[in-house]
Amino acid sequence: MTHRQSVRARLPRPGASPRAAASPTAGPTRCRGVAGQAAVEFALALPIVVLLTLGLLTVGVAVRNELAVELAAREAARAASVSADPGAAQAAADRAVALPIEVRVVDDGTHVTVTASYTDPGGVAVLGAVIGATTHTATVTMRIEPP
């Protein structure tokens, strides 16, 4: 085969698509293979993406609960330090957040220490069942203010 014949063999035939000349396997069967490959890759990646999204959601809920417990403990300690009413701390914690916070107050005469805790049942789908319930606790100490 001469040089001129080899160049002609590489040129596309009149009326043929440029893609057909570039690759002998190009055509409808190749497109179906690419679409099938994309579907398989999507099917393999989707569970990983869903688990990562649920993990981020779980972490976000845990951080929110921790901040809520800390806020409830501060508000309860403030209420306990200025009030002689033993239920003032629990009422202040209930007003501060919408979670069922358990409040314990220890009064030593000059300082009041409030411990607030909340147990999150872990209701996020799939990961909640794996991780289980978590308890968030915060402790705040304040000096008792005179009436």
Side-chain angles (χ1 to χ4, degrees):
M1 182 181 280
T2 66
H3 176 67
R4 177 176 261 172
Q5 289 172 335
S6 67
V7 169
R8 273 193 189 162
R10 285 183 274 159
L11 290 175
R13 283 177 251 129
S17 72
R19 191 171 208 201
S23 171
T25 61
T29 56
R30 181 178 168 103
C31 289
R32 262 187 276 134
V34 170
Q37 178 184 355
V40 169
E41 289 173 357
F42 179 73
L44 290 173
L46 184 63
I48 295 169
V49 170
V50 168
L51 283 176
L52 286 174
T53 303
L54 288 175
L56 286 172
L57 181 65
T58 303
V59 168
V61 168
V63 169
R64 186 227 29 199
N65 289 341
E66 187 66 30
L67 291 173
V69 169
E70 290 173 6
L71 173 66
R74 279 193 308 270
E75 294 296 322
R78 176 73 182 141
S81 70
V82 297
S83 175
D85 181 18
Q90 183 67 51
D94 291 339
R95 279 191 310 271
V97 296
L99 297 174
I101 303 287
E102 178 188 338
V103 176
R104 289 184 305 274
V105 179
V106 176
D107 185 352
D108 67 1
T110 59
H111 291 83
V112 63
T113 300
V114 173
T115 302
S117 62
Y118 167 68
T119 302
D120 181 16
V124 176
V126 180
L127 291 181
V130 173
I131 295 171
T134 56
T135 301
H136 304 276
T137 305
T139 303
V140 176
T141 302
M142 287 190 176
R143 190 166 38 118
I144 297 176
E145 296 183 9

